[in-house]
Structures are given as C-alpha cells and as structure tokens.
Amino acid sequence: MAAITTPSEIRAGLEKRRGTNTGGQIFRTLLLVALVLAIAMIGAVLWSVGVDSWSLLIERPWSFLSNPSNSSAELAGVAQGIRGSVTLAAIVAATFPVGVGAAIYLEELADDNFLTRLIQVTVRNLAGVPSIVYGLLGLAVFVQQLRGLTGGPSVISAGLTLGVLVFPVVVITTSEAIRAVPQSLRDAAYGLGATQWEVIRHQVLPAAMPGVLTGVVLSIARSLGEAAPLLVVGAAPFYSTGVKNTLEQLTGAFTALPMNVAVFARLPADTWAAHAAAASVVLLVVIFVINLAAIILRNRISKKLGR
Amino acid sequence: MTATETIEHTPTSSANTDHREDFLGLPLPTMGSRAVAAGLELFFFILVALGVYLVEYFLEGNITGFGLSNWWIAFALMALWNGWTYASAQTPQGTLTSHFIADSTGAPAAALTIMVRQLIRFGLLYGIAILVRGVDVAVLVLVGLLAGACMFVAPKRRAPWDILAGTTVVTGFPSGAQLELKPLTSIADLQLDTKRGRQDGRARRLLFVAGLFSVLASALIVWSIFREAAKFVLDDEFSLDILTGIGWFPRRGIFDLWTLFVGTLWITGIAMLVAGPVGLGVAFYLSEYASPRVRRWLKPMVEILASIPSVVIGLFAISFISPSILRNIFGDIGIFSILAAGIGVGVLTVPIIASISEDAMRAVPNELREASYGLGGRRVTTALRVVFPAALSGIAAAFIVGVSRAIGETMVVFIAAGGSGGAIYEADPREPGQAITAAMASLGAGTDSVAGSGLAFQSLYFLGALLFILTLVLNVISDGVVRRFRQVY
C-alpha cells in the first residue's frame, strides 16, 4: 500500500491514471451534433416554409387572408380556415370547465376508491390515444348520433371533438397546478369556517390560476394544430360561402387552417406549393401568438396575485 | 345548569330574534313582500316581452314563424338574465327587492325600477339579437375576446353590465351585484344547514360529474369504435385474405392489412432511427452538460419544435426533405415516399423523446453524480454509467411513448407518404406507401362517399380499433415502466 504524500502528488497520480479524455470529447461532440441537428430541424422547417410562401405573401397578402377557398390558385385564400379555427378555439375553450372540474375533483374531493382510480386510469389512457381515433369518436357520436344538435359534419361537432381531445391534457395540467398550491392555504381557510367549495373557489383556484390558464391556453394552441380529427369529422376542403346567419354557420360546412394546409399540400405542387406554405405561415403565427399570450397571461396573473 | 340558561338568554341572541330591521334599515321582508317582488319581476318581464312582440307584429305585419326569431332569442336570453339576477340578489331573508317592497314608502320606487329594468334589458337583448344575426361567428368570438380582455384589464370588473342594466342610472336603486351584501352571521350560518352548505353539496356533485366525464369519454371511444369494427369483422364479405400482400383498396373491397402494417412499421422504425439518437442526445446535453443559462435558452427552442403542427411537418417533408435531402442521397426518389414520411414523423418525435428522457435524467438525485465525481469519474463516465442506468426505465418509457406517437401520427404520413385512397403493397421505403393512420385519414376525408361503398366505412373503424389497442398496450407498458422507475427513488 503506497502512502499518499502531498496534494501535488495526488494530482499527478490522478492525471497519469486518467490519461487524455478522448472518450469524453467524442461523447460531448456527439451530443452537440444531436443538439445542432434538433435546432437545424426547427430552422429548416421555418426556413423552408418561409421561403416557399414568400412570393405569395409578397404578391397578395391581404387577398390571401380574406379570400375564401377557390379552385383557381390566383384567388384561393384562407379566410374560411381562419374563421373556422377561431370558432373551433372558442368551442374548445367552452369545454374547459369540464376538464378543470375533473381535475379539482381528483385533487381536492376524491377519496382513494375504485371509481377514483378508474377516473385516473382513463385520463392517463385518453392522453395517449392518437388524435385520429378522437376523430372516429366525433364521427360516431357528434356527427351521427347527435346530428340534430350539431347539424352533422359541422364546426360544432369538430369543436366538441377537439374539446374531448384536449380534455386529458387540461386535467393533467390543472392537476399539477392544483397540487402546487400549499396545504397551509387550505388549512387556514378551513380554520375560518369555510366550506370545501369555498376553499376551492376562493383559495385553491385563484392560487392555481396561473398554471391552469397556461395549460388551458397551450391546449388551445395544440387543438388548433390538429387536422386528423377534423378530416374524419368531415371538414370540407372547399365550400361556397353564401350569406348565412349565425346558426347556419355553426351547423354548416366548415374548414380550419390545418385543413387548408393539408388540402393545399396534396394539390399539384407547381401551382399550390406557395399556398400550402403560406397557410402554414398563418397557422404558425396564430399558434406562436397564442403561446406568447399564455406566457403573458401567466406573468400578469402571477403579478396580480403577488406571487 | 345556570350556565346553560345564561347562554340561551344572551342579549345578542334575543336581539337577533327581535330583529325587525335588516341591514339597510328597512323592515324585514315577509312572505307576502317576497311573493309580490317575485310576481312583479315576472309580471313586467312578460308584459315587456308581450309588448315588444305586439310592436313587432304591427310593424312587420307578421312574425316570421315560430323559428329562431329575434324575439325568441331575446326572450330566452332574458329568462336566463332574470334567473341569474334573481339568484344573485338574494339576501338571507329574500331578494333585495323584497326588502324594499316590505317598506311601504319604498314599494312604488321598487315597482317602477323593476319595470324600467325589464324594459331596458329586453330592449338591449332585442337589439343584440338583431345585430348578431347575420354577423360572422368569428366576429362574435373576436368581440367576445376583446370584451373579455377589457374586463381582464379593467380595474372594476362589474361596471360595464351594471351600467347597461340601467338600474342605478335610471332610478338610483341598486342591483344586487353592486351592493356589498354582508349577510347577518348567526350560529345557524355556521352550522352548514344553510345556503352555504347546500351550495357546497351542489358544487361537489357537479365536480364529481366532471370527473366522471373521463370515464364517459373512454366508454364512448370504445363503444363508437368497436360497434362498427365488429360489423366489419362479422360481415359475410370479410375474409382472412386481409394478409395477402396485394394492396389496400378499401373502396374496391380489398382490405390487405399487411400493406398497412408494413407501412406503419417502416415509418415508425425510420422515425425512431431519427428521433431516438437526436432526442436522447438533446436530453443528455440539456441534463448533464448544459449550464443553467444555456439550458434556459435551449429548452424553449426544443419546445418550439413540439408546438409546430404536424401538417406543417408534413408539408416540410414534401417541400424540403424529399427534394433537398433525399434526392441528393438516393438520386431519383419520388416526392412522396415512406422514407420522407418516416423522417417527418421522426422530426415530430424528437421533442417527445427529448423532454421525457430529460425529465427522467433530472430526477436522478445529485448525490449519485457527486459520488461519481468524488470517486474520480469524468463527466462522460458519470453520464453513461451512473445517470443513464439510473434513468433507464424513464428513458425506456420515453422511447415507448415515442413509438406510440409515431404509430398514431396521421397528417405527416397522409401528406408525405403518397397513398391516397389505396396503395399497392410496397416493401421498399423509397416508394410511396400507406400506414394505418393515413389510410384512416384518406377514408375519413371522403366520409360522404365512404358511406355508400360496402365495408369501406366499417374498415375505417376497424383500423381505428387496431390503432387504439396498439397504442393502449404501448401506453400501459410505458406506464408500468414509469411506475417501477418511481419506486426506485
């Protein structure tokens, strides 16, 4: 057993044993390559979409945004898609209370029994179901069974389908936000004689609000990018825009921005490639703006609550 | 015994029972005044509604049927509005108006207020109904958003609609919402046999129903899929030549699942070849190498990739991956190919694998890393031989979830793989092909025409059932893996 003498000897011995760090350098380089690849993917997507759409967006930006879909490439626009996406977002937003309520139930009220575990398991599994399967649900339930209420393949059917699609996401994000609320807040309110509902309504929900709203807004952004369920529910690639009243618009033919992209992308590329790219740009801008709104909302509410 | 008697005859409790005035200094409402107040509200509501109906009748000559006329819209909204204000203007003794009716001098003013209030409200709703009809839904939504934003920013939230309701402006008579109601607290209030207790019970029941919705949604998915899928399997035309390897042509009655399986397998495999190394590399870098400052910039960038919709990636596959990358490698490859679709799905899967693996690695306690460094381990040794084994189950779960997402990804394959309607069996990924999801999308894209053509419509659900079971199994496995991983720490 060699006796260890001075620090400098230890250092020298260690360096001798370790040798040069080639393996570490190679590993680090590989990781950097992976990182650069991932960032290059983002860059390439944004760049290719931007370049392809440039000519169209320079040539006629306003008529592209305000024209309905058209079989002639010079006239076609995404106005119907924008209108459909906005309406879809509103309907999806209207379904959020169910998800938030389910999360409150799971986090605040539920006892640990069979039913609670069933609810938890179903929420987790719903989160993993592919979006196109939700389209089948929408087709069978909202389009066919509830045709009288939704008017068949309409924006209401599609919006409710997307509402079911984001339900598990809303439940999971809301649950996380509620779990982060300190128990002392609840105890203090109970100590003052509040009922459980009053504790939830006046203490837990306000404290969890930044997290809840962020999750909710992000799931709107997610639902706006979904095209597969809309395809199955029956979004129309082209439809004529007549003068319609509110009810007819809600129960009639519809389309949405991702549908516009998909339809343009499957048309012959030499005339329609720019349209697909330009519709993608509009969709991306909408989604980024919503994401930005989520961040601003979160900061603003956190400030308002003094946290 | 004397002590209990003193408590029962405390001055406060006797003052409470002899209370003849409410918090406004008015006499307490009686059953009579409460009935009169409710009756007046209802009477003027009906009167105003009837009056407007008659005016409309004489001006227009006829009412446009009993469809959804402006009058009906206004009437329905009005009923809701009145119900809401009636509920919100409740004091422990009755509605706010009933307090005023109970006082003989206040009664005429209260009656007048009710009349004016109903008139203004109905007029307002009628105007809104006229305006709203024929207006674009999207415009309505935007106006609603704008109004919501104003309410959010405005310091006094209730001001707009209280002024619109016109109660204060016209008669100086406050509506329930404006008055800070301070209900008289008594022992009965604290024993929850009151409005608060009932409210609590109602809210709990409502939240329970919301929780049940997840069970309902799952049941609906299973029901809607398997009902039609069973029809497909049980049909006479259905036979087991679904694995012959001819091609997938549902509208011609050729249901060759093998074509779709091979397509899905190729696409999932290619996607994982792209996303596995890149996602894992990003996760390793973010968790083990990046300084907190670098991490703060890099993580949102990865999240940007996650927020790009799949249709855009599908477009990217045919407008960039095929012409700019694959053409340079393979020469004369078509724009639409399984390979391009697979790479596109891979791009979508990167952020999923990266974020779940990174979470797993960051969940590894720092003591393990410090112990490794303390024993003279290098960063690479620590990452690969300490952190990686410790996070292995989480990383495995990330890969399973990634596979499940890749199998379920629809739009990229629908746009980039080139199979529309049907597809010939193809084992070469450089050729166009079809996957389960994309086949469903093509079927669904023409649901109107699908309905008429034999089993094609049912085959849509059959594929859905396959997809559902496949992803469910994968998710259950990854859940099990994650649960084991949680038990370690």
Side-chain angles (χ1 to χ4, degrees):
Chain A
M1 212 189 226
I4 296 169
T5 46
T6 62
S8 60
E9 274 184 43
I10 297 175
R11 204 177 301 127
L14 273 177
E15 266 159 23
K16 199 179 145 202
R17 268 201 63 205
R18 290 171 98 177
T20 48
N21 189 5
T22 7
Q25 290 301 331
I26 293 172
F27 185 64
R28 201 193 162 91
T29 315
L30 283 178
L31 293 189
L32 278 174
V33 168
L35 193 71
V36 167
L37 268 176
I39 292 171
M41 283 173 187
I42 306 168
V45 170
L46 299 181
W47 181 80
S48 88
V49 164
V51 165
D52 287 352
S53 65
W54 189 249
S55 59
L56 183 69
L57 286 181
I58 286 297
E59 190 190 319
R60 53 181 194 94
W62 296 117
S63 83
F64 182 73
L65 288 177
S66 62
N67 275 15
S69 49
N70 198 306
S71 53
S72 110
E74 289 82 49
L75 294 174
V78 290
Q80 292 171 335
I82 294 175
R83 177 189 298 148
S85 282
V86 168
T87 317
L88 282 178
I91 297 174
V92 171
T95 65
F96 282 146
V98 183
V100 175
I104 295 173
Y105 174 77
L106 283 178
E107 293 300 321
E108 297 287 316
L109 299 176
D111 308 318
D112 187 23
N113 56 25
F114 169 73
L115 196 61
T116 307
R117 277 198 295 276
L118 182 69
I119 293 175
Q120 281 165 342
V121 166
T122 49
V123 166
R124 264 209 305 278
N125 285 331
L126 281 178
V129 172
S131 60
I132 193 161
V133 174
Y134 282 98
L136 293 184
L137 165 86
L139 180 59
V141 176
F142 299 126
V143 176
Q144 293 180 332
Q145 301 294 327
L146 301 177
R147 183 173 279 272
L149 286 175
T150 60
S154 68
V155 75
I156 296 182
S157 303
L160 293 177
T161 307
L162 291 182
V164 181
L165 177 99
V166 296
F167 169 80
V169 185
V170 173
V171 174
I172 289 169
T173 49
T174 307
S175 294
E176 271 167 19
I178 290 177
R179 231 174 286 146
V181 175
Q183 182 63 31
S184 54
L185 262 182
R186 298 185 186 94
D187 294 342
Y190 283 129
L192 291 173
T195 62
Q196 193 162 20
W197 167 242
E198 285 163 346
V199 172
I200 293 168
R201 171 74 189 76
H202 297 295
Q203 306 302 325
V204 177
L205 268 187
M209 211 28 109
V212 172
L213 274 185
T214 315
V216 151
V217 173
L218 288 181
S219 49
I220 286 189
R222 193 197 144 186
S223 68
L224 282 190
E226 286 288 351
L230 305 187
L231 259 177
V232 178
V233 168
F238 295 107
Y239 68 92
S240 61
T241 314
V243 182
K244 289 172 179 167
N245 72 28
T246 317
L247 202 68
E248 284 164 351
Q249 285 173 25
L250 283 176
T251 55
F254 77 104
T255 191
L257 275 174
M259 277 299 296
N260 283 139
V261 178
V263 168
F264 288 144
R266 283 172 66 92
L267 289 169
D270 40 357
T271 40
W272 292 95
H275 292 72
S280 301
V281 169
V282 177
L283 181 60
L284 285 175
V285 167
V286 169
I287 284 175
F288 286 155
V289 165
I290 291 177
N291 283 335
L292 204 67
I295 296 168
I296 293 173
L297 210 62
R298 180 174 50 191
N299 291 346
R300 207 195 142 82
I301 293 180
S302 308
K303 217 181 281 167
K304 224 175 192 175
L305 291 172
R307 261 177 274 269
Chain B
M1 191 192 145
T2 44
T4 42
E5 272 178 13
T6 4
I7 287 173
E8 274 170 10
H9 297 289
T10 45
T12 44
S13 77
S14 67
N16 248 348
T17 47
D18 292 330
H19 216 282
R20 292 270 168 256
E21 288 189 349
D22 65 4
F23 56 99
L24 295 170
L26 298 169
L28 279 176
T30 58
M31 284 310 285
S33 74
R34 291 177 65 173
V36 168
L40 277 177
E41 298 263 5
L42 200 65
F43 173 72
F44 283 119
F45 169 35
I46 302 291
L47 192 73
V48 168
L50 266 181
V52 173
Y53 190 91
L54 287 179
V55 168
E56 189 177 352
Y57 187 81
F58 283 119
L59 285 182
E60 304 273 322
N62 64 326
I63 301 294
T64 47
F66 270 84
L68 207 64
S69 71
N70 298 337
W71 186 84
W72 276 108
I73 293 178
F75 187 81
L77 289 176
M78 189 70 187
L80 282 178
W81 194 350
N82 277 334
W84 180 70
T85 44
Y86 190 77
S88 70
Q90 288 284 344
T91 71
Q93 291 86 18
T95 54
L96 204 54
T97 359
S98 66
H99 285 261
F100 286 86
I101 301 275
D103 180 32
S104 52
T105 51
L112 182 71
T113 305
I114 293 172
M115 191 181 77
V116 172
R117 187 160 68 195
Q118 296 291 338
L119 203 64
I120 289 176
R121 282 183 187 174
F122 205 93
L124 206 69
L125 290 178
Y126 195 76
I128 290 175
I130 292 174
L131 279 178
V132 159
R133 286 166 71 82
V135 172
D136 206 307
V137 180
V139 173
L140 283 185
V141 172
L142 288 179
V143 168
L145 270 182
L146 208 66
C150 289
M151 309 292 289
F152 187 70
V153 177
K156 271 200 163 181
R157 296 219 207 156
R158 282 217 175 96
W161 58 58
D162 270 347
I163 291 169
L164 285 181
T167 52
T168 326
V169 179
V170 176
T171 58
F173 184 73
S175 78
Q178 284 169 322
L179 208 97
E180 274 277 306
L181 283 186
K182 292 268 189 280
L184 306 170
T185 310
S186 66
I187 297 296
D189 278 332
L190 292 177
Q191 301 162 337
L192 284 176
D193 189 25
T194 58
K195 202 178 140 200
R196 289 172 61 221
R198 286 196 299 279
Q199 187 190 34
D200 187 52
R202 258 201 317 273
R204 282 151 173 270
R205 281 194 293 279
L206 216 64
L207 291 173
F208 175 63
V209 171
L212 279 186
F213 182 79
S214 72
V215 181
L216 175 75
S218 306
L220 278 179
I221 286 183
V222 170
W223 170 78
S224 61
I225 293 172
F226 288 95
R227 191 184 48 136
E228 297 287 342
K231 278 186 202 160
F232 179 74
V233 176
L234 297 175
D235 195 275
D236 296 336
E237 285 176 48
F238 175 82
S239 58
L240 275 177
D241 66 341
I242 54 172
L243 295 177
T244 46
I246 313 163
W248 173 260
F249 298 100
R251 295 207 168 89
R252 279 189 261 153
I254 304 173
F255 304 105
D256 170 30
L257 283 183
W258 189 240
T259 310
L260 302 184
F261 274 144
V262 169
T264 294
L265 221 58
W266 266 121
I267 283 169
T268 310
I270 295 167
M272 293 312 287
L273 272 182
V274 173
V278 175
L280 201 57
V282 170
F284 261 124
Y285 191 87
L286 285 181
S287 156
E288 301 303 314
Y289 280 81
S291 66
R293 236 188 75 215
V294 174
R295 206 177 157 272
R296 221 177 27 244
W297 282 101
L298 283 180
K299 210 165 150 70
M301 290 195 81
V302 177
E303 279 163 4
I304 287 181
L305 191 57
S307 72
I308 294 177
S310 57
V311 272
V312 177
I313 303 288
L315 179 68
F316 172 68
I318 58 171
S319 70
F320 185 83
I321 296 178
S322 282
S324 304
I325 297 179
L326 296 181
R327 281 254 167 89
N328 288 336
I329 302 174
F330 295 101
D332 61 333
I333 187 171
I335 288 288
F336 301 103
S337 65
I338 290 183
L339 190 56
I343 295 175
V345 176
V347 173
L348 271 182
T349 322
V350 167
I352 295 165
I353 292 185
S355 69
I356 302 180
S357 313
E358 200 224 337
D359 285 346
M361 289 178 195
R362 287 176 70 84
V364 173
N366 245 341
E367 285 86 349
L368 286 184
R369 293 190 187 90
E370 281 156 9
S372 166
Y373 291 137
L375 290 171
R378 290 205 182 91
R379 219 169 215 182
V380 53
T381 327
T382 311
L384 285 179
R385 299 181 60 180
V386 176
V387 176
F388 182 70
L392 187 58
S393 43
I395 294 170
F399 274 73
I400 299 171
V401 171
V403 168
S404 153
R405 287 287 171 87
I407 291 177
E409 178 46 50
T410 309
M411 292 317 286
V412 174
V413 190
F414 179 66
I415 292 175
S420 58
I424 300 172
Y425 173 72
E426 189 57 67
D428 184 351
R430 287 172 297 179
E431 299 291 328
Q434 191 76 297
I436 297 177
T437 49
M440 287 170 69
S442 320
L443 278 168
T447 28
D448 43 337
S449 54
V450 164
S453 53
L455 279 176
F457 181 70
Q458 276 77 25
S459 75
L460 170 63
Y461 282 92
F462 180 68
L463 292 182
L466 278 182
L467 197 61
F468 179 73
I469 294 171
L470 213 57
T471 51
L472 187 69
V473 166
L474 284 172
N475 289 331
V476 167
I477 292 175
S478 90
D479 242 34
V481 170
V482 167
R483 203 163 304 137
R484 258 196 56 201
F485 149 77
R486 270 199 194 133
Q487 281 166 3
V488 176
Y489 304 112

